Amino acid sequence: MSWILICIAGLFEVAWAVGLKYTHGFTRLWPSVGTVLAMAISVALLGLGMRGLPVGTAYAVWTGIGAVGTVILGIVLFNDPANAPRLICVALIVAGILGLKLTSAA
């Protein structure tokens, strides 16, 4: 269950990271409300997921999911660069997430 919570928390991290772009520096009300709500849910789920996982593993997986998801949505939604070096770096993050998952005792 802890892994599921961490994964969902990571998805909410992607939501708030991308949401920040839509807030225009927190000058737009509803995108700002959604972003802050996603932040709160993400951190709450991270805290719950950490109960059954080592803190370093949980945090690294959470931030890794957030980083990879945000890069992918940046490419899709905002035409961020999708060149080979960036995609290789994203693949390395995914490899790190999988490595932490596979070597975790929980």
Side-chain angles (χ1 to χ4, degrees):
M1 188 62 170
S2 292
W3 283 110
I4 293 169
L5 292 172
I6 294 297
C7 289
I8 295 170
L11 295 176
F12 274 98
E13 184 184 5
V14 173
W16 72 255
V18 171
L20 283 173
K21 183 83 168 173
Y22 291 103
T23 69
H24 294 282
F26 291 101
T27 60
R28 297 177 65 209
L29 177 63
W30 293 114
S32 297
V33 169
T35 297
V36 170
L37 184 61
M39 286 176 176
I41 293 169
S42 179
V43 172
L45 291 173
L46 172 64
L48 292 172
M50 279 185 171
R51 292 191 297 188
L53 296 171
V55 66
T57 300
Y59 184 77
V61 170
W62 177 69
T63 58
I65 291 169
V68 170
T70 303
V71 169
I72 291 168
L73 286 182
I75 291 167
V76 172
L77 299 175
F78 306 117
N79 295 317
D80 288 354
N83 54 44
R86 282 178 55 108
L87 298 177
I88 290 168
C89 291
V90 169
L92 291 171
I93 295 170
V94 171
I97 292 169
L98 291 174
L100 287 169
K101 167 69 172 100
L102 294 174
T103 60
S104 177

Coordinates of all heavy atoms in Angstrom, one line a residue:
M1 N 0.8 -1.2 0.0 CA 0.0 0.0 0.0 C 0.9 1.3 0.0 O 0.5 2.3 -0.6 CB -0.9 0.0 1.2 CG -1.9 1.1 1.2 SD -3.0 0.9 -0.2 CE -4.3 2.1 0.2
S2 N 2.0 1.2 0.7 CA 2.9 2.4 0.7 C 3.4 2.8 -0.6 O 3.4 4.0 -1.0 CB 4.1 2.1 1.6 OG 3.7 2.0 3.0
W3 N 3.7 1.8 -1.5 CA 4.1 2.1 -2.8 C 3.0 2.8 -3.6 O 3.3 3.7 -4.4 CB 4.6 0.9 -3.5 CG 6.0 0.5 -3.1 CD1 6.3 -0.6 -2.3 CD2 7.2 1.2 -3.3 NE1 7.7 -0.7 -2.1 CE2 8.3 0.4 -2.7 CE3 7.6 2.3 -4.0 CZ2 9.6 0.8 -2.7 CZ3 8.9 2.7 -4.0 CH2 9.9 2.0 -3.4
I4 N 1.8 2.3 -3.5 CA 0.7 2.9 -4.2 C 0.5 4.4 -3.8 O 0.3 5.3 -4.6 CB -0.6 2.1 -4.0 CG1 -0.5 0.8 -4.6 CG2 -1.8 2.9 -4.5 CD1 -1.5 -0.2 -4.3
L5 N 0.6 4.6 -2.5 CA 0.5 6.0 -2.0 C 1.6 6.9 -2.5 O 1.3 8.1 -2.9 CB 0.5 6.0 -0.4 CG -0.7 5.4 0.2 CD1 -0.5 5.3 1.7 CD2 -2.0 6.2 -0.1
I6 N 2.8 6.4 -2.5 CA 3.9 7.2 -3.0 C 3.7 7.5 -4.5 O 4.0 8.6 -5.0 CB 5.3 6.5 -2.8 CG1 5.6 6.4 -1.3 CG2 6.4 7.2 -3.6 CD1 5.7 7.7 -0.6
C7 N 3.3 6.5 -5.3 CA 3.0 6.8 -6.7 C 1.9 7.8 -7.0 O 2.1 8.7 -7.8 CB 2.7 5.4 -7.4 SG 4.1 4.3 -7.6
I8 N 0.9 7.7 -6.2 CA -0.2 8.7 -6.4 C 0.3 10.0 -5.9 O 0.0 11.1 -6.5 CB -1.5 8.2 -5.6 CG1 -2.0 7.0 -6.2 CG2 -2.5 9.3 -5.6 CD1 -3.1 6.3 -5.4
A9 N 1.0 10.1 -4.8 CA 1.6 11.4 -4.4 C 2.5 12.0 -5.5 O 2.5 13.2 -5.7 CB 2.4 11.1 -3.1
G10 N 3.3 11.1 -6.2 CA 4.1 11.6 -7.3 C 3.3 12.2 -8.4 O 3.7 13.2 -9.0
L11 N 2.1 11.6 -8.7 CA 1.3 12.1 -9.7 C 0.7 13.5 -9.3 O 0.6 14.4 -10.2 CB 0.1 11.2 -10.0 CG 0.6 9.8 -10.6 CD1 -0.6 8.9 -10.8 CD2 1.3 10.0 -12.0
F12 N 0.4 13.6 -8.0 CA -0.1 15.0 -7.6 C 1.1 16.0 -7.6 O 0.8 17.2 -7.8 CB -0.7 14.9 -6.2 CG -2.2 14.5 -6.2 CD1 -2.6 13.2 -6.0 CD2 -3.1 15.5 -6.5 CE1 -3.9 12.8 -6.1 CE2 -4.5 15.1 -6.5 CZ -4.9 13.8 -6.3
E13 N 2.3 15.5 -7.4 CA 3.4 16.4 -7.5 C 3.6 16.9 -9.0 O 3.8 18.1 -9.2 CB 4.7 15.7 -7.1 CG 5.9 16.7 -7.1 CD 7.2 16.1 -6.8 OE1 7.3 14.8 -6.7 OE2 8.2 16.8 -6.8
V14 N 3.3 16.0 -9.9 CA 3.4 16.4 -11.3 C 2.3 17.5 -11.5 O 2.5 18.5 -12.2 CB 3.1 15.2 -12.3 CG1 3.0 15.7 -13.7 CG2 4.3 14.3 -12.1
A15 N 1.1 17.2 -11.0 CA 0.0 18.2 -11.2 C 0.3 19.6 -10.6 O 0.0 20.6 -11.3 CB -1.3 17.6 -10.5
W16 N 0.9 19.6 -9.4 CA 1.2 21.0 -8.9 C 2.3 21.6 -9.6 O 2.3 22.8 -9.8 CB 1.3 21.0 -7.4 CG 2.5 20.4 -6.7 CD1 2.5 19.2 -6.0 CD2 3.8 21.0 -6.6 NE1 3.8 19.0 -5.5 CE2 4.6 20.1 -5.8 CE3 4.4 22.2 -7.0 CZ2 5.9 20.3 -5.5 CZ3 5.7 22.4 -6.7 CH2 6.4 21.5 -6.0
A17 N 3.3 20.8 -10.0 CA 4.4 21.4 -10.8 C 4.0 22.1 -12.1 O 4.3 23.2 -12.4 CB 5.5 20.4 -11.0
V18 N 3.1 21.3 -12.8 CA 2.6 21.9 -14.1 C 1.6 23.0 -13.8 O 1.6 24.0 -14.5 CB 2.0 20.7 -14.9 CG1 1.2 21.3 -16.1 CG2 3.0 19.7 -15.3
G19 N 0.8 22.8 -12.7 CA -0.1 23.8 -12.3 C 0.5 25.2 -12.0 O -0.1 26.2 -12.3
L20 N 1.8 25.2 -11.5 CA 2.5 26.4 -11.3 C 2.6 27.3 -12.5 O 2.5 28.5 -12.5 CB 3.9 26.2 -10.7 CG 4.0 25.7 -9.3 CD1 5.4 25.3 -8.9 CD2 3.5 26.8 -8.4
K21 N 2.7 26.6 -13.7 CA 2.8 27.4 -14.9 C 1.5 28.1 -15.2 O 1.6 29.2 -15.7 CB 3.2 26.4 -16.0 CG 3.4 27.0 -17.4 CD 4.8 27.5 -17.5 CE 5.1 27.8 -19.0 NZ 6.3 28.4 -19.2
Y22 N 0.4 27.5 -14.9 CA -0.9 28.1 -15.2 C -1.3 29.1 -14.2 O -2.2 29.9 -14.4 CB -2.0 27.0 -15.2 CG -1.8 26.1 -16.4 CD1 -1.3 24.8 -16.3 CD2 -2.2 26.5 -17.7 CE1 -1.1 24.0 -17.4 CE2 -2.0 25.7 -18.8 CZ -1.5 24.4 -18.7 OH -1.3 23.6 -19.8
T23 N -0.6 29.2 -13.0 CA -1.0 30.2 -12.0 C -0.5 31.6 -12.4 O -1.0 32.6 -11.8 CB -0.4 29.9 -10.6 OG1 1.0 30.0 -10.6 CG2 -0.9 28.5 -10.2
H24 N 0.5 31.7 -13.3 CA 1.1 32.9 -13.6 C 1.6 33.7 -12.4 O 1.2 34.8 -12.1 CB 0.2 33.8 -14.5 CG -0.1 33.2 -15.8 ND1 0.8 33.3 -16.9 CD2 -1.2 32.5 -16.3 CE1 0.3 32.7 -17.9 NE2 -0.9 32.2 -17.6
G25 N 2.4 33.0 -11.6 CA 2.9 33.6 -10.3 C 1.8 33.8 -9.3 O 1.9 34.7 -8.5
F26 N 0.9 32.9 -9.2 CA -0.2 32.9 -8.3 C -1.1 34.1 -8.4 O -1.7 34.6 -7.5 CB 0.3 32.7 -6.8 CG 0.8 31.4 -6.5 CD1 2.2 31.1 -6.5 CD2 -0.1 30.3 -6.3 CE1 2.7 29.9 -6.3 CE2 0.4 29.0 -6.1 CZ 1.8 28.8 -6.0
T27 N -1.2 34.6 -9.7 CA -2.1 35.8 -10.0 C -3.4 35.3 -10.5 O -4.3 36.2 -10.6 CB -1.4 36.7 -11.0 OG1 -1.1 36.0 -12.2 CG2 -0.1 37.3 -10.4
R28 N -3.6 34.1 -10.8 CA -4.9 33.5 -11.3 C -5.5 32.6 -10.3 O -4.8 31.7 -9.8 CB -4.6 32.8 -12.6 CG -4.1 33.7 -13.7 CD -3.8 33.0 -15.0 NE -5.0 32.5 -15.6 CZ -5.0 31.5 -16.4 NH1 -3.9 30.8 -16.7 NH2 -6.2 31.0 -16.9
L29 N -6.7 33.0 -9.8 CA -7.3 32.3 -8.7 C -7.4 30.8 -8.8 O -6.9 30.1 -8.0 CB -8.6 33.0 -8.3 CG -9.4 32.3 -7.2 CD1 -8.6 32.5 -5.9 CD2 -10.8 32.9 -7.0
W30 N -8.2 30.4 -9.8 CA -8.5 28.9 -9.8 C -7.3 28.0 -10.1 O -7.2 27.0 -9.4 CB -9.7 28.7 -10.7 CG -11.0 29.3 -10.1 CD1 -11.7 30.3 -10.7 CD2 -11.6 29.0 -8.9 NE1 -12.7 30.7 -9.8 CE2 -12.7 29.9 -8.7 CE3 -11.3 28.1 -7.9 CZ2 -13.5 29.8 -7.6 CZ3 -12.1 28.0 -6.8 CH2 -13.2 28.9 -6.6
P31 N -6.5 28.4 -11.0 CA -5.2 27.6 -11.1 C -4.4 27.6 -9.8 O -3.8 26.5 -9.5 CB -4.5 28.2 -12.3 CG -5.5 28.9 -13.1 CD -6.6 29.4 -12.1
S32 N -4.4 28.7 -9.1 CA -3.7 28.8 -7.9 C -4.3 27.9 -6.8 O -3.6 27.1 -6.1 CB -3.6 30.2 -7.4 OG -2.9 31.0 -8.3
V33 N -5.6 27.9 -6.7 CA -6.3 27.0 -5.8 C -6.0 25.5 -6.1 O -5.7 24.7 -5.2 CB -7.8 27.3 -5.8 CG1 -8.6 26.3 -5.0 CG2 -8.1 28.7 -5.2
G34 N -6.1 25.2 -7.3 CA -5.9 23.8 -7.7 C -4.4 23.4 -7.5 O -4.2 22.2 -7.0
T35 N -3.5 24.3 -7.7 CA -2.1 24.0 -7.5 C -1.8 23.8 -6.0 O -1.2 22.8 -5.6 CB -1.2 25.1 -8.1 OG1 -1.4 25.1 -9.5 CG2 0.2 24.9 -7.8
V36 N -2.3 24.6 -5.2 CA -2.1 24.5 -3.7 C -2.8 23.3 -3.2 O -2.2 22.5 -2.3 CB -2.6 25.8 -3.0 CG1 -2.6 25.6 -1.5 CG2 -1.7 27.0 -3.4
L37 N -4.0 22.9 -3.7 CA -4.6 21.7 -3.3 C -3.8 20.5 -3.7 O -3.7 19.5 -2.9 CB -6.0 21.6 -3.9 CG -6.9 20.5 -3.5 CD1 -7.2 20.5 -2.0 CD2 -8.2 20.5 -4.2
A38 N -3.3 20.5 -4.9 CA -2.5 19.3 -5.4 C -1.2 19.2 -4.5 O -0.8 18.1 -4.2 CB -2.1 19.5 -6.8
M39 N -0.6 20.4 -4.1 CA 0.5 20.4 -3.2 C 0.2 19.7 -1.9 O 1.0 18.8 -1.4 CB 1.0 21.8 -2.9 CG 1.7 22.5 -4.0 SD 2.1 24.2 -3.5 CE 3.0 24.7 -5.0
A40 N -0.9 20.1 -1.3 CA -1.3 19.5 0.0 C -1.6 18.0 -0.1 O -1.1 17.3 0.8 CB -2.5 20.3 0.5
I41 N -2.3 17.6 -1.1 CA -2.6 16.2 -1.3 C -1.3 15.4 -1.5 O -1.1 14.3 -0.9 CB -3.6 16.0 -2.5 CG1 -4.9 16.5 -2.1 CG2 -3.7 14.5 -2.8 CD1 -5.9 16.6 -3.3
S42 N -0.4 15.9 -2.3 CA 0.9 15.3 -2.6 C 1.7 15.0 -1.4 O 2.2 13.9 -1.1 CB 1.7 16.1 -3.6 OG 2.9 15.5 -3.9
V43 N 1.9 16.1 -0.6 CA 2.7 16.0 0.7 C 2.0 15.0 1.7 O 2.6 14.3 2.4 CB 3.0 17.4 1.2 CG1 3.6 17.2 2.6 CG2 3.8 18.1 0.3
A44 N 0.7 15.1 1.8 CA -0.1 14.3 2.7 C 0.1 12.8 2.3 O 0.4 11.9 3.2 CB -1.6 14.6 2.7
L45 N 0.0 12.5 1.1 CA 0.1 11.1 0.6 C 1.6 10.6 0.8 O 1.8 9.5 1.1 CB -0.3 10.9 -0.8 CG -1.8 11.1 -1.1 CD1 -2.1 11.1 -2.6 CD2 -2.6 10.0 -0.4
L46 N 2.5 11.5 0.5 CA 3.9 11.2 0.8 C 4.1 10.8 2.2 O 4.8 9.8 2.5 CB 4.8 12.4 0.4 CG 6.3 12.3 0.8 CD1 7.0 11.1 0.0 CD2 7.0 13.6 0.5
G47 N 3.6 11.6 3.1 CA 3.7 11.3 4.6 C 3.1 10.0 4.9 O 3.7 9.2 5.7
L48 N 2.0 9.7 4.4 CA 1.3 8.4 4.6 C 2.2 7.2 4.1 O 2.3 6.2 4.7 CB -0.1 8.3 4.1 CG -1.1 9.2 4.7 CD1 -2.4 9.2 3.9 CD2 -1.4 8.8 6.2
G49 N 2.7 7.4 2.9 CA 3.5 6.4 2.2 C 4.8 6.1 2.9 O 5.3 5.0 3.0
M50 N 5.3 7.1 3.6 CA 6.6 7.0 4.3 C 6.5 6.1 5.5 O 7.5 5.7 6.1 CB 7.1 8.4 4.7 CG 7.8 9.1 3.6 SD 8.6 10.6 4.3 CE 9.5 11.1 2.9
R51 N 5.3 5.9 6.0 CA 5.1 5.1 7.2 C 5.6 3.6 6.9 O 6.1 3.0 7.9 CB 3.6 5.0 7.6 CG 3.1 6.3 8.1 CD 1.8 6.2 8.8 NE 0.8 5.8 7.8 CZ -0.5 5.8 8.1 NH1 -1.0 6.1 9.3 NH2 -1.3 5.4 7.1
G52 N 5.6 3.2 5.7 CA 6.0 1.8 5.4 C 7.2 1.7 4.6 O 7.6 0.6 4.1
L53 N 7.9 2.8 4.3 CA 9.1 2.8 3.5 C 10.2 3.6 4.1 O 9.9 4.5 4.9 CB 8.8 3.4 2.1 CG 7.8 2.7 1.2 CD1 7.4 3.5 0.0 CD2 8.3 1.3 0.8
P54 N 11.4 3.3 3.7 CA 12.5 4.1 4.2 C 12.4 5.5 3.7 O 12.0 5.7 2.5 CB 13.8 3.5 3.6 CG 13.4 2.1 3.3 CD 11.9 2.1 3.0
V55 N 12.7 6.5 4.5 CA 12.5 7.9 4.1 C 13.2 8.3 2.8 O 12.6 9.0 2.0 CB 12.8 8.9 5.3 CG1 14.3 8.9 5.6 CG2 12.4 10.3 5.0
G56 N 14.4 7.9 2.7 CA 15.2 8.2 1.5 C 14.6 7.6 0.2 O 14.6 8.3 -0.8
T57 N 14.2 6.4 0.3 CA 13.6 5.7 -0.8 C 12.3 6.4 -1.2 O 12.0 6.7 -2.4 CB 13.3 4.2 -0.5 OG1 14.6 3.6 -0.2 CG2 12.7 3.5 -1.7
A58 N 11.4 6.6 -0.2 CA 10.1 7.2 -0.5 C 10.3 8.6 -1.1 O 9.6 8.9 -2.1 CB 9.3 7.3 0.8
Y59 N 11.1 9.4 -0.5 CA 11.3 10.8 -1.0 C 11.9 10.8 -2.4 O 11.5 11.5 -3.3 CB 12.2 11.6 -0.1 CG 12.3 13.0 -0.5 CD1 11.3 13.9 -0.3 CD2 13.4 13.5 -1.1 CE1 11.4 15.2 -0.7 CE2 13.6 14.8 -1.6 CZ 12.5 15.7 -1.3 OH 12.6 17.0 -1.7
A60 N 12.9 9.9 -2.7 CA 13.5 9.9 -4.0 C 12.6 9.4 -5.1 O 12.5 9.9 -6.2 CB 14.8 8.9 -3.9
V61 N 11.8 8.4 -4.8 CA 10.8 7.9 -5.7 C 9.7 9.0 -6.0 O 9.4 9.3 -7.1 CB 10.1 6.6 -5.3 CG1 9.0 6.2 -6.1 CG2 11.2 5.5 -5.3
W62 N 9.3 9.7 -5.0 CA 8.3 10.7 -5.1 C 8.8 11.9 -6.0 O 8.1 12.3 -6.9 CB 7.9 11.3 -3.7 CG 7.0 12.4 -3.6 CD1 5.7 12.4 -3.9 CD2 7.3 13.7 -3.2 NE1 5.1 13.7 -3.7 CE2 6.1 14.5 -3.2 CE3 8.5 14.3 -2.7 CZ2 6.1 15.8 -2.8 CZ3 8.4 15.7 -2.3 CH2 7.2 16.4 -2.4
T63 N 10.0 12.3 -5.7 CA 10.6 13.4 -6.5 C 10.9 12.9 -7.9 O 10.8 13.7 -8.9 CB 11.8 14.0 -5.9 OG1 12.8 13.0 -5.7 CG2 11.5 14.7 -4.6
G64 N 11.3 11.7 -8.1 CA 11.6 11.1 -9.4 C 10.4 11.0 -10.2 O 10.4 11.4 -11.4
I65 N 9.3 10.6 -9.7 CA 8.0 10.5 -10.4 C 7.6 12.0 -10.8 O 7.2 12.2 -12.0 CB 6.9 9.9 -9.6 CG1 7.2 8.4 -9.4 CG2 5.5 10.1 -10.3 CD1 6.3 7.7 -8.4
G66 N 7.7 12.9 -9.9 CA 7.4 14.3 -10.2 C 8.3 14.9 -11.3 O 7.8 15.5 -12.2
A67 N 9.6 14.6 -11.2 CA 10.5 15.1 -12.2 C 10.2 14.5 -13.6 O 10.1 15.3 -14.6 CB 11.9 14.8 -11.8
V68 N 10.1 13.2 -13.7 CA 9.8 12.6 -15.0 C 8.5 13.0 -15.6 O 8.4 13.4 -16.7 CB 9.9 11.0 -14.9 CG1 9.4 10.3 -16.1 CG2 11.3 10.6 -14.5
G69 N 7.5 13.0 -14.7 CA 6.1 13.4 -15.2 C 6.1 14.9 -15.7 O 5.5 15.2 -16.7
T70 N 6.8 15.7 -14.9 CA 6.8 17.1 -15.3 C 7.6 17.4 -16.6 O 7.2 18.2 -17.4 CB 7.4 18.0 -14.1 OG1 6.6 17.7 -12.9 CG2 7.4 19.4 -14.4
V71 N 8.7 16.7 -16.8 CA 9.4 16.8 -18.0 C 8.5 16.3 -19.2 O 8.4 17.0 -20.2 CB 10.7 16.0 -18.0 CG1 11.3 15.9 -19.4 CG2 11.7 16.6 -17.0
I72 N 7.9 15.2 -19.0 CA 7.0 14.7 -20.1 C 5.9 15.7 -20.4 O 5.6 16.0 -21.6 CB 6.5 13.3 -19.8 CG1 7.6 12.3 -19.8 CG2 5.3 12.9 -20.7 CD1 7.2 10.9 -19.2
L73 N 5.2 16.2 -19.4 CA 4.1 17.1 -19.7 C 4.7 18.5 -20.2 O 4.0 19.1 -21.0 CB 3.3 17.3 -18.4 CG 2.4 16.2 -18.1 CD1 1.5 16.5 -16.8 CD2 1.4 15.9 -19.2
G74 N 5.9 18.8 -19.8 CA 6.5 20.0 -20.4 C 6.7 19.9 -21.9 O 6.4 20.8 -22.6
I75 N 7.1 18.7 -22.3 CA 7.3 18.4 -23.7 C 5.9 18.5 -24.4 O 5.8 19.1 -25.5 CB 8.0 17.1 -23.9 CG1 9.4 17.2 -23.4 CG2 7.9 16.6 -25.3 CD1 10.1 15.8 -23.3
V76 N 4.9 17.8 -23.8 CA 3.6 17.7 -24.5 C 2.9 19.0 -24.5 O 2.3 19.4 -25.5 CB 2.8 16.6 -23.8 CG1 1.4 16.6 -24.3 CG2 3.5 15.2 -24.0
L77 N 2.8 19.7 -23.3 CA 2.0 20.9 -23.2 C 2.6 22.2 -23.6 O 2.0 23.1 -24.0 CB 1.5 21.0 -21.7 CG 0.6 19.8 -21.2 CD1 0.3 20.0 -19.8 CD2 -0.7 19.7 -22.1
F78 N 3.9 22.3 -23.3 CA 4.6 23.6 -23.4 C 5.7 23.6 -24.5 O 6.5 24.5 -24.6 CB 5.2 24.0 -22.1 CG 4.1 24.0 -21.0 CD1 4.3 23.2 -19.9 CD2 3.0 24.8 -21.1 CE1 3.3 23.2 -18.9 CE2 2.1 24.8 -20.1 CZ 2.2 24.0 -19.0
N79 N 5.8 22.5 -25.3 CA 6.8 22.4 -26.3 C 8.2 22.5 -25.8 O 9.1 23.1 -26.4 CB 6.6 23.4 -27.4 CG 5.3 23.2 -28.2 OD1 5.0 22.0 -28.5 ND2 4.5 24.2 -28.4
D80 N 8.5 22.0 -24.6 CA 9.8 22.0 -24.1 C 10.7 21.1 -25.0 O 10.1 20.2 -25.6 CB 9.8 21.4 -22.6 CG 9.3 22.4 -21.6 OD1 9.0 23.5 -22.0 OD2 9.1 21.9 -20.4
P81 N 12.0 21.3 -25.0 CA 12.8 20.4 -25.9 C 12.7 19.0 -25.5 O 12.6 18.6 -24.4 CB 14.2 20.9 -25.6 CG 14.1 22.2 -24.9 CD 12.7 22.3 -24.3
A82 N 12.7 18.1 -26.6 CA 12.7 16.7 -26.4 C 13.9 16.1 -27.1 O 13.7 15.1 -27.9 CB 11.4 16.1 -27.0
N83 N 15.1 16.6 -26.9 CA 16.2 16.1 -27.6 C 16.8 14.9 -26.9 O 16.4 14.6 -25.7 CB 17.3 17.2 -27.7 CG 17.6 17.9 -26.4 OD1 17.8 17.2 -25.4 ND2 17.7 19.2 -26.3
A84 N 17.7 14.2 -27.5 CA 18.2 13.0 -27.0 C 18.9 13.1 -25.6 O 18.6 12.3 -24.8 CB 19.2 12.3 -28.0
P85 N 19.7 14.1 -25.4 CA 20.3 14.2 -24.1 C 19.3 14.3 -22.9 O 19.4 13.7 -21.9 CB 21.2 15.4 -24.1 CG 21.5 15.6 -25.6 CD 20.3 15.1 -26.3
R86 N 18.3 15.1 -23.1 CA 17.2 15.3 -22.1 C 16.5 13.9 -21.9 O 16.2 13.6 -20.8 CB 16.2 16.3 -22.5 CG 16.7 17.7 -22.3 CD 15.6 18.8 -22.8 NE 14.4 18.5 -22.2 CZ 13.8 19.3 -21.3 NH1 14.4 20.4 -20.9 NH2 12.6 19.1 -20.8
L87 N 16.2 13.2 -23.0 CA 15.4 12.0 -22.8 C 16.3 10.9 -22.2 O 15.8 10.1 -21.4 CB 14.9 11.5 -24.2 CG 13.9 12.5 -24.8 CD1 13.5 12.0 -26.2 CD2 12.7 12.7 -23.9
I88 N 17.6 10.9 -22.4 CA 18.5 10.0 -21.8 C 18.5 10.3 -20.3 O 18.5 9.4 -19.5 CB 19.9 10.1 -22.4 CG1 19.9 9.5 -23.8 CG2 20.9 9.4 -21.5 CD1 21.1 9.7 -24.6
C89 N 18.6 11.6 -19.9 CA 18.6 11.9 -18.5 C 17.3 11.5 -17.8 O 17.3 11.0 -16.7 CB 18.8 13.4 -18.3 SG 20.5 13.9 -18.8
V90 N 16.2 11.6 -18.5 CA 14.9 11.2 -17.9 C 14.9 9.7 -17.8 O 14.5 9.1 -16.7 CB 13.7 11.6 -18.8 CG1 12.4 10.9 -18.4 CG2 13.5 13.1 -18.8
A91 N 15.5 8.9 -18.7 CA 15.6 7.5 -18.6 C 16.5 7.1 -17.4 O 16.2 6.1 -16.7 CB 16.2 6.9 -19.9
L92 N 17.5 7.9 -17.2 CA 18.3 7.6 -16.0 C 17.5 7.8 -14.7 O 17.7 7.0 -13.7 CB 19.6 8.5 -16.0 CG 20.6 8.1 -17.1 CD1 21.7 9.2 -17.2 CD2 21.2 6.7 -16.9
I93 N 16.7 8.8 -14.6 CA 15.9 9.0 -13.5 C 14.9 7.8 -13.3 O 14.8 7.3 -12.2 CB 15.1 10.3 -13.5 CG1 16.0 11.5 -13.5 CG2 14.1 10.4 -12.4 CD1 15.3 12.8 -13.9
V94 N 14.3 7.4 -14.4 CA 13.4 6.2 -14.3 C 14.2 5.0 -13.8 O 13.7 4.2 -13.0 CB 12.7 5.9 -15.7 CG1 12.0 4.6 -15.7 CG2 11.8 7.1 -16.0
A95 N 15.4 4.8 -14.3 CA 16.2 3.7 -13.9 C 16.5 3.8 -12.4 O 16.5 2.8 -11.7 CB 17.5 3.6 -14.7
G96 N 16.8 5.0 -11.9 CA 17.0 5.2 -10.5 C 15.8 4.8 -9.6 O 15.9 4.2 -8.6
I97 N 14.6 5.2 -10.1 CA 13.3 5.0 -9.4 C 13.1 3.4 -9.3 O 12.8 2.9 -8.3 CB 12.1 5.6 -10.1 CG1 12.2 7.1 -10.0 CG2 10.8 5.1 -9.5 CD1 11.2 7.9 -10.8
L98 N 13.3 2.8 -10.5 CA 13.1 1.3 -10.5 C 14.2 0.6 -9.6 O 13.8 -0.3 -8.9 CB 13.2 0.8 -11.9 CG 12.1 1.2 -12.9 CD1 12.4 0.8 -14.3 CD2 10.8 0.6 -12.4
G99 N 15.4 1.1 -9.6 CA 16.4 0.5 -8.8 C 16.1 0.6 -7.3 O 16.3 -0.3 -6.5
L100 N 15.6 1.8 -6.9 CA 15.2 2.0 -5.5 C 14.0 1.1 -5.1 O 14.0 0.5 -4.1 CB 14.8 3.4 -5.2 CG 16.0 4.4 -5.2 CD1 15.5 5.8 -5.2 CD2 16.9 4.1 -4.0
K101 N 13.1 0.9 -6.0 CA 11.9 0.1 -5.8 C 12.4 -1.4 -5.7 O 12.0 -2.1 -4.8 CB 10.9 0.2 -6.9 CG 9.8 -0.8 -7.0 CD 8.8 -0.7 -5.9 CE 7.7 -1.6 -6.1 NZ 7.7 -2.9 -5.3
L102 N 13.2 -1.8 -6.6 CA 13.7 -3.2 -6.6 C 14.6 -3.6 -5.4 O 14.6 -4.7 -5.0 CB 14.3 -3.5 -7.9 CG 13.4 -3.5 -9.1 CD1 14.2 -3.7 -10.4 CD2 12.3 -4.5 -9.1
T103 N 15.3 -2.6 -4.9 CA 16.2 -2.9 -3.8 C 15.7 -2.5 -2.4 O 16.3 -2.7 -1.4 CB 17.5 -2.2 -4.0 OG1 17.3 -0.7 -4.0 CG2 18.2 -2.6 -5.3
S104 N 14.4 -2.1 -2.4 CA 13.8 -1.7 -1.1 C 13.2 -3.0 -0.4 O 12.6 -3.9 -1.1 CB 12.6 -0.7 -1.3 OG 12.0 -0.5 -0.1
A105 N 13.4 -3.1 0.9 CA 12.9 -4.2 1.6 C 11.4 -4.2 1.8 O 10.8 -5.2 2.1 CB 13.6 -4.3 3.0
A106 N 10.8 -3.0 1.7 CA 9.4 -2.9 1.9 C 8.6 -3.2 0.7 O 9.0 -3.2 -0.4 CB 9.0 -1.4 2.3

